[in-house]
Amino acid sequence: MKPIATVGVVGSGTMGRGIAESALQAGLQVILHDSSPDALSAARKQIEANLHRSVGKGQLPAQEASEYLGALDPAADMGALAGCQLVIEAVPEVLEVKLSVLAALEESVAGDVLIATNTSSIPITRLARALGHPDRFIGLHFFNPVPRMPLVEVIRAVHSSDATVAAARQFVAEALGKTPLVIEDRPGFVVNALLIPFLLAAARMLDSGYAEAEAIDDGMTLGCGHPMGPLKLADFIGLDVVCAAADAMYAQSPDPALVVPNNLRRLVDAGQLGAKTGRGFYDHR
Ligand SMILES: NC(=O)c1ccc[n+]([C@@H]2O[C@H](COP(=O)([O-])OP(=O)(O)OC[C@H]3O[C@@H](n4cnc5c(N)ncnc54)[C@H](O)[C@@H]3O)[C@@H](O)[C@H]2O)c1
């Protein structure tokens, strides 16, 4: 596999723009593709604003910020990804959408290009079905906000070659300066396999009337040193995202710890999704 100098990112939403920004700050060329021109221009604006904020805080020289921005190429045409050595897919968490994007992507890039997916909950091996050459496919699971979060789960699918795993690990550690956690393809990988049952247990405790939300969160912040309690964290992740992750993991492995409690399901039904809608377990308005 060739050294990675140009990274492609497909999908310029929350995660895609964060991955693009991290790659730019690592000194790489970035080609950012999205099917929506509005999403592409919003992503470029946000990356520019984030870099300017760092300049304003004295964390980044203005000259470097403008070089980083100059290395960003927002592309409405997927064909622009042909010059990349690695392309990371970050389109919505919908199996059919990801399969069709990955199949189109394979048509657009050479046979030795590394292809990665940022899926949170779809088995990497299931997504590999879209590809004629699944040996060069791997999971790279970033965390939000990407520029600030140091961990990336590197998920080896059944067909991923050793060279693919080594190249992905090297990219994360040496190019991005983040910590790679190389793991097998299991439901929830490592982080969500631990986090989601924990968040659901907190919601279940609230639902049973055993303790108030503040008491549950204080228990974990003041008693265990967590930076944020589980109910507040669920509100910030988005209750719909928590439910979707739990349901997807339950569908792959029906563990009772992954059953969504009634209170959480009702909040999602009511559109009270947490901080992003102003209400969830807490009132954020
Ligand atoms: N948001 C998170 O906290 C988080 C964390 C880790 C992983 N993920 C995963 O990252 C992926 C992306 O999530 P997100 O939150 O950034 O989603 P998002 O909805 O913010 O962004 C998705 C982007 O993909 C674009 N898109 C849709 N269809 C496309 C297509 N056919 N071709 C090109 N672009 C297309 C959309 O226009 C949008 O800009 C998902 O798989 C999600 O599970 C999300």
Side-chain angles (χ1 to χ4, degrees):
M1 277 163 185
K2 294 182 192 141
I4 295 166
T6 305
V7 177
V9 181
V10 181
S12 65
T14 306
M15 296 306 289
R17 62 186 68 174
I19 295 166
E21 187 179 328
S22 289
L24 290 170
Q25 299 223 30
L28 300 165
Q29 293 285 126
V30 176
I31 298 171
L32 181 57
H33 166 69
D34 201 292
S35 54
S36 152
D38 289 349
L40 266 186
S41 78
R44 192 190 181 284
K45 274 195 198 122
Q46 194 189 331
I47 292 170
E48 187 173 11
N50 291 351
L51 292 173
H52 281 165
R53 199 172 313 117
S54 299
V55 171
K57 287 182 185 165
Q59 295 164 340
L60 183 68
Q63 172 66 22
E64 262 178 54
S66 81
E67 280 168 18
Y68 292 158
L69 209 56
L72 175 65
D73 179 5
D77 177 7
M78 193 181 257
L81 299 166
C84 299
Q85 294 81 44
L86 162 67
V87 181
I88 303 168
E89 167 278 305
V91 301
E93 191 75 346
V94 179
L95 178 65
E96 295 70 31
V97 174
K98 286 194 186 287
L99 289 175
S100 85
V101 164
L102 289 168
L105 179 57
E106 196 174 43
E107 298 280 306
S108 307
V109 298
D112 58 352
V113 172
L114 199 62
I115 300 179
T117 174
N118 185 47
T119 182
S120 306
S121 60
I122 302 173
I124 313 300
T125 308
R126 190 169 298 163
L127 291 173
R129 274 194 223 146
L131 301 176
H133 298 285
D135 52 301
R136 40 80 170 260
F137 185 58
I138 195 155
L140 282 181
H141 187 222
F142 291 81
F143 294 84
N144 187 27
V146 181
R148 292 221 309 273
M149 298 300 269
L151 186 76
V152 181
E153 291 178 313
V154 176
I155 305 121
R156 176 197 279 271
V158 169
H159 298 97
S160 308
S161 70
D162 289 345
T164 295
V165 176
R169 181 207 291 262
Q170 190 179 12
F171 168 73
V172 170
E174 292 173 24
L176 297 185
K178 294 185 184 286
T179 301
L181 184 60
V182 180
I183 47 181
E184 299 295 319
D185 190 11
R186 301 264 173 88
F189 314 131
V190 164
V191 173
N192 282 340
L194 293 170
L195 178 64
I196 298 296
F198 170 55
L199 300 182
L200 297 180
R204 205 170 289 119
M205 184 178 275
L206 179 70
D207 202 30
S208 73
Y210 182 68
E212 299 291 325
E214 290 79 3
I216 292 168
D217 279 351
D218 283 351
M220 292 293 105
T221 53
L222 305 179
C224 294
H226 290 200
M228 194 182 280
L231 297 173
K232 193 174 269 183
L233 178 58
D235 268 3
F236 278 103
I237 291 172
L239 300 185
D240 53 335
V241 175
V242 174
C243 275
D247 290 341
M249 288 163 64
Y250 185 89
Q252 293 169 54
S253 176
D255 179 338
L258 292 167
V259 174
V260 174
N262 207 33
N263 57 345
L264 176 50
R265 190 73 78 189
R266 289 295 160 268
L267 286 171
V268 173
D269 288 343
Q272 296 183 3
L273 308 180
K276 64 187 169 187
T277 59
R279 292 194 74 157
F281 288 116
Y282 291 94
D283 190 341
H284 300 267
R285 292 166 299 170

